């Protein structure tokens, strides 16, 4: 029998209200500030986002020994054009994604991946030519970039490229000539405010308007920036939202239904599989970054994420999965409104392959000693995972840093690795979701009659990659097409990889 995550889900889905603003801040303050005052928060581990020093040492030793599948993953990295030491940055003062301005955001994501891939090569091989290349890219952007803007799509660039940039910088911490302080300033002034604003305001939309991946990319950005900048409040903000936040990216809203057989339904499953696998990848990145700071988001709610990953992997491997009807509101108060009624998993983009599975499989199976047959099968199918530039030239090919076969493969532990408690909040400290989806004890905000989405256009609410979408009439239908991974219809018809 299908389990609902709690009895408050239907009421949360039906509420026509804006995302909480002061309420979330109050919940974070109530849950973290008092205890922090009583006892100093532990220091952050560095490097400590997707890769720890122990990880980097393990990878280097395995590659040097020619061990598989590390060597195959290393060869995938070194063959990527972004991982070459002669890459030259092309920094922009203003990055636009969406809207009528010139769409220069590909310049950002290409440079971000070049910085990360060269940083990873330096960390593994010790080749300073790659360290110099990564440093120069990061320095060039931190001295130049002043704003990320555009339509609602600019939230995507700020979240995805924000957390990816932070990961590259974390690998370069302490490198000669890298201006870490200036880079932190850029992250705090350019990327964080956009991510924070989205989580608090949701672009003036109903709280259910944006799919889970939108929240998750913002959460990745906030968490990664918090660690890079040694800012405990930002890390706590991301963790609290993931556990109890009002939007679709919090755990029990992103994975609303638990089914028998170790499966749990993702919120975007009825939409399409491209966006669903994106949400899985973002959740995996957030959980791994948190784990490396002593916070066990992987294990929240009886390994709910594992059940969700198994569900998505099973369906994309061609097998049937159960589905519980999911109905939710889209639009914005006094602008437009539409009810989405998902009754079955979408076959659109079924079989979508992303370099996201190795990190999930290695955590649950090799760290924790749990069974994950479908996740493991998907990881094997994608291996060796590539990275940005290996999955097409459009934005979807750069939604994840990739190279998980190289970076996350680990020997199976003789005994389950216990959840970490050295940094951050102890595992299992989540508080219940309050009525209506707001954090417990938080005040909820109501929609103002004057509220409107950024830019004042209903079609900005949840539209991504409008240049590649087929023309659609009707504002409601256009907004439903939004998300992080646009369905690149024309490119797909030409046989190209979707972005």
């Amino acid at each position: 029998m299908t389990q609902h995550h709690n009895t408050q889900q239907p009421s949360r889905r039906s509420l026509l209200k804006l995302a909480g603003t002061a309420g979330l801040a109050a919940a974070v303050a109530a849950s973290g500030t008092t205890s922090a005052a009583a006892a100093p928060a532990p220091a952050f581990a560095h490097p400590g986002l997707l890769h720890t020093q122990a990880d980097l040492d393990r990878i280097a030793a395995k590659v040097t020994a020619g061990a598989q599948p590390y060597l195959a993953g290393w060869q995938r990295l070194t063959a990527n054009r972004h991982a070459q030491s002669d890459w030259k940055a092309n920094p922009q003062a203003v990055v636009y994604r969406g809207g009528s301005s010139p769409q220069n955001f590909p310049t950002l994501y290409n440079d971000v991946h070049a910085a990360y891939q060269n940083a990873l090569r330096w960390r593994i091989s010790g080749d300073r030519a790659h360290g110099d290349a990564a440093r120069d890219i990061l320095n060039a952007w931190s001295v130049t970039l002043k704003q990320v803007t555009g339509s609602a799509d600019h939230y995507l660039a700020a979240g995805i490229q924000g957390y990816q940039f932070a990961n590259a910088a974390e690998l370069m911490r302490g490198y000669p000539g890298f201006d870490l302080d200036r880079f932190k300033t850029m992250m705090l002034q350019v990327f964080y405010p956009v991510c924070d604003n989205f989580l608090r305001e949701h672009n003036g939309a109903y709280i259910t308007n944006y799919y889970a991946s939108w929240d998750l990319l913002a959460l990745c950005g906030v968490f990664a920036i918090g660690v890079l900048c040694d800012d405990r409040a930002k890390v706590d903000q991301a963790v609290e939202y993931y556990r109890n936040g009002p939007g679709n990216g919090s755990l029990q809203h992103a994975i609303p239904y638990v089914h028998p057989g170790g499966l749990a339904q993702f919120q975007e499953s009825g939409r399409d599989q491209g966006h669903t696998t994106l949400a899985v990848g973002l959740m995996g990145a957030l959980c791994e970054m948190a784990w490396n700071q002593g916070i066990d988001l992987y294990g929240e709610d009886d390994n709910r994420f594992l059940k969700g990953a198994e569900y998505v992997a099973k369906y994309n491997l061609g097998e049937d999965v159960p589905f519980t009807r999911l109905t939710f509101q889209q639009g914005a108060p006094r602008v437009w409104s539409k009810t989405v009624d998902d009754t079955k998993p979408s076959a659109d983009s079924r079989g979508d392959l992303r370099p996201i599975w190795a990190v999930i499989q290695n955590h649950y199976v090799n760290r924790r000693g749990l069974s994950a047959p479908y996740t493991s099968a998907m990881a094997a199918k994608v291996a060796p995972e590539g990275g940005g530039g290996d999955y097409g030239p459009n934005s979807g090919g750069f939604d994840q840093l990739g190279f998980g076969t190289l970076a996350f493969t680990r020997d199976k532990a003789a005994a389950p690795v216990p959840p970490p408690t050295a940094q951050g909040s102890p595992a299992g400290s989540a508080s219940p979701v309050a009525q209506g989806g707001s954090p417990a004890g938080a005040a909820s905000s109501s929609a103002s009659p004057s509220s409107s989405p950024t830019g004042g256009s209903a079609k900005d609410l949840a539209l991504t990659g409008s240049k590649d979408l087929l023309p659609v009439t009707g504002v409601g239908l256009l907004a439903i097409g939004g998300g992080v991974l646009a369905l690149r219809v024309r490119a797909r018809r030409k046989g190209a990889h979707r972005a």
Side-chain angles (χ1 to χ4, degrees):
M1 182 176 182
T2 299
Q3 291 181 318
H4 291 236
H5 73 268
N6 58 48
T7 58
Q8 294 142 0
Q9 175 74 11
S11 61
R12 209 273 315 193
R13 293 291 179 191
S14 63
L15 285 178
L16 305 184
K17 67 184 185 69
L18 295 177
T21 53
L24 180 58
V28 172
S31 64
T33 304
T34 303
S35 60
F44 288 101
H46 296 295
L49 287 174
L50 287 174
H51 316 293
T52 66
Q53 189 59 53
D55 292 333
L56 296 166
D57 292 343
R58 179 188 74 250
I59 298 164
K62 294 287 190 179
V63 169
T64 299
Q68 295 291 9
Y70 295 90
L71 184 58
W74 172 252
Q75 291 168 340
R76 195 83 194 267
L77 171 63
T78 58
N80 192 301
R81 73 181 185 91
H82 294 76
Q84 308 312 309
S85 60
D86 60 355
W87 186 278
K88 301 301 180 185
N90 183 21
Q92 308 289 307
V94 180
V95 167
Y96 299 94
R97 180 165 182 175
S100 58
S101 299
Q103 299 300 292
N104 62 350
F105 69 98
T107 301
L108 174 61
Y109 65 65
N110 276 283
D111 277 2
V112 167
H113 282 257
Y116 171 76
Q117 291 178 27
N118 274 283
L120 191 58
R121 284 192 71 170
W122 168 66
R123 278 288 194 166
I124 295 171
S125 71
D127 187 337
R128 296 191 72 88
H130 294 287
D132 289 351
R135 174 200 63 202
D136 292 348
I137 296 167
L138 297 175
N139 282 345
W141 277 91
S142 68
V143 78
T144 305
L145 182 64
K146 304 304 179 187
Q147 186 180 18
V148 175
T149 189
S151 70
D153 292 8
H154 82 287
Y155 295 116
L156 313 180
I160 295 175
Q161 273 67 67
Y163 98 83
Q164 293 173 346
F165 235 164
N167 268 274
E170 183 74 2
L171 288 174
M172 296 303 296
R173 183 184 290 269
Y175 192 85
F178 173 42
D179 195 333
L180 177 60
D181 287 340
R182 191 175 70 204
F183 193 88
K184 287 180 179 180
T185 297
M186 177 189 71
M187 299 305 292
L188 291 170
Q189 294 182 356
V190 177
F191 288 91
Y192 172 75
V194 180
C195 296
D196 176 62
N197 178 266
F198 181 80
L199 292 173
R200 296 177 185 278
E201 302 294 340
H202 285 83
N203 202 28
Y206 294 122
I207 190 61
T208 54
N209 179 75
Y210 286 95
Y211 288 90
S213 48
W214 287 76
D215 271 1
L216 287 167
L217 62 91
L219 291 176
C220 284
V222 170
F223 188 96
I225 292 167
V227 171
L228 179 71
C229 298
D230 292 291
D231 190 327
R232 177 65 58 183
K234 290 177 176 52
V235 169
D236 289 347
Q237 175 189 2
V239 171
E240 170 63 21
Y241 193 104
Y242 179 78
R243 288 172 169 163
N244 301 309
N248 283 324
S250 60
L251 178 61
Q252 293 189 359
H253 296 146
I255 308 176
Y257 301 113
V258 174
H259 297 282
L263 303 174
Q265 182 176 322
F266 251 84
Q267 187 260 345
E268 301 202 43
S269 295
R271 180 189 187 189
D272 64 69
Q273 298 310 305
H275 287 93
T276 304
T277 53
L278 172 62
V280 171
L282 290 166
M283 192 173 284
L286 179 62
C287 288
E288 184 68 12
M289 292 189 295
W291 178 273
N292 288 334
Q293 293 300 330
I295 306 168
D296 185 17
L297 299 185
Y298 278 118
E300 287 285 321
D301 196 14
D302 191 27
N303 300 305
R304 193 181 192 96
F305 176 39
L306 170 60
K307 298 168 187 175
E310 284 288 278
Y311 180 96
V312 175
K314 182 176 183 179
Y315 185 68
N316 281 280
L317 287 167
E319 298 194 35
D320 293 335
V321 292
F323 192 89
T324 296
R325 188 173 192 162
L326 188 62
T327 303
F328 53 95
Q329 192 80 14
Q330 290 195 319
R334 298 181 180 270
V335 179
W336 70 278
S337 180
K338 182 180 181 69
T339 299
V340 177
D341 188 16
D342 290 336
T343 59
K344 62 182 179 180
S346 172
D348 194 343
S349 305
R350 190 176 187 181
D352 186 74
L353 296 179
R354 287 178 176 270
I356 61 172
W357 298 100
V359 64
I360 305 169
Q361 188 268 336
N362 276 280
H363 173 78
Y364 286 113
V365 176
N366 292 343
R367 268 195 192 129
R368 300 291 292 136
L370 301 173
S371 175
Y374 299 107
T375 299
S376 298
M378 190 62 96
K381 186 173 183 177
V382 181
E385 290 181 357
D390 290 326
Y391 298 89
N394 296 324
S395 59
F398 295 82
D399 282 341
Q400 45 279 310
L401 290 169
F403 301 108
T405 306
L406 170 67
F408 304 117
T409 297
R410 61 187 66 246
D411 296 331
K412 190 169 185 178
V417 177
T421 56
Q423 291 90 26
S425 305
S429 62
S431 57
V433 177
Q435 179 72 24
S438 298
S444 60
S445 62
S446 300
S448 166
S450 62
S451 298
S452 64
T454 299
S457 170
K459 69 180 181 181
D460 281 343
L461 281 172
L463 177 62
T464 298
S466 56
K467 296 291 185 182
D468 291 328
L469 287 173
L470 289 177
V472 183
T473 57
V475 168
L477 183 57
L478 189 59
I480 292 172
V484 180
L485 177 71
L487 300 181
R488 310 290 185 175
V489 178
R490 288 183 294 201
R492 186 170 56 195
R493 285 177 176 172
K494 295 176 182 179
H497 191 277
R498 288 180 302 108

